[in-house]
Amino acid sequence: MIRRPPRSTQSRSSAASDVYKRQIYTSLALAMIGSCANRDLCENLKPDLIRLALEDTQRSIFVKKKALLCLLRVYRKFKDFFEPQAWGVALSTIFEHRQLGLLLAATSLLQGVVSLGGSVGFEDLVPKMIKILERLVLQNDCPQEYLYYRTPNPWLQICLLYTSPSPRDRQKSRMPSSA
């Protein structure tokens, strides 16, 4: 009788090897990890997820968006083995990017982290968030595919406004003011 390794071991090794293959395999592996990975698999792949989402500059924007959203889903499930305060510098670099889909994924990650774990370590992102809003709303700097009824990327605007500190009521703010 042939002994096979348990399915969790098979899926772990398969997902780990797919994370660094071609773009389509990487995105499928990230979707699987984000949606149905168990605690052990997520804990083993944690360094790879953080590297893909926040550190790897050689990957395509498509993979980086998937990795950011996968990291958000895994963080929501198992936030106890992550240290999101260390992600501030990497998110700051991403917030300087001009690709709006990547900015939306990074803002979604920031919003999820701030809502679940607090805003410590992310205070330096507030001016960059304001700069993005200025570029969208005041300068109307938005590609045609992100216009929705002549509104420049309303999803990103809402996400940025929801995550930003409130100038009127600092008690209900999700992030401390940069002032």
Side-chain angles (χ1 to χ4, degrees):
M1 183 176 199
I2 299 173
R3 296 207 24 99
R4 293 185 178 164
R7 286 193 192 271
S8 64
T9 306
Q10 288 175 339
S11 64
R12 182 179 317 140
S13 63
S14 176
S17 67
D18 285 347
V19 164
Y20 289 105
K21 288 187 177 179
R22 289 188 18 213
Q23 180 173 313
I24 191 71
Y25 298 136
T26 303
S27 65
L28 288 172
L30 289 168
M32 188 280 300
I33 293 164
S35 61
C36 61
N38 61 17
R39 184 176 188 83
D40 291 336
L41 179 61
C42 290
E43 197 161 9
N44 288 335
L45 293 176
K46 178 177 90 168
D48 296 321
L49 288 177
I50 292 172
R51 188 177 313 112
L52 277 173
L54 303 171
E55 298 167 4
D56 193 353
T57 58
Q58 303 302 317
R59 292 288 172 166
S60 70
I61 290 175
F62 176 74
V63 170
K64 202 160 192 65
K65 288 189 299 188
K66 297 280 187 185
L68 286 164
L69 295 175
C70 177
L71 185 59
L72 172 61
R73 292 187 82 177
V74 171
Y75 176 75
R76 283 180 177 157
K77 284 192 234 177
F78 311 111
K79 71 177 189 168
D80 56 318
F81 59 82
F82 284 102
E83 295 175 14
Q85 298 81 12
W87 301 347
V89 174
L91 282 173
S92 178
T93 304
I94 294 172
F95 273 29
E96 293 171 358
H97 208 281
R98 301 206 46 95
Q99 212 286 334
L100 296 178
L102 182 63
L103 290 173
L104 182 59
T107 307
S108 297
L109 175 64
L110 177 64
Q111 182 180 354
V113 168
V114 167
S115 68
L116 293 175
S119 62
V120 176
F122 301 108
E123 298 85 4
D124 295 340
L125 296 176
V126 174
K128 293 185 182 206
M129 294 164 58
I130 292 170
K131 197 76 159 163
I132 294 167
L133 281 169
E134 176 189 358
R135 196 173 75 223
L136 285 173
V137 178
L138 298 178
Q139 297 173 2
N140 240 358
D141 183 13
C142 180
Q144 186 69 32
E145 63 266 18
Y146 287 99
L147 286 177
Y148 184 74
Y149 288 98
R150 288 182 265 166
T151 303
N153 203 342
W155 309 277
L156 179 58
Q157 287 185 42
I158 295 298
C159 204
L160 286 167
L161 288 171
Y162 183 78
T163 308
S164 298
S166 170
R168 292 191 185 135
D169 189 4
R170 292 176 192 238
Q171 308 249 320
K172 293 184 179 181
S173 174
R174 288 162 290 286
M175 286 187 69
S177 130
S178 62

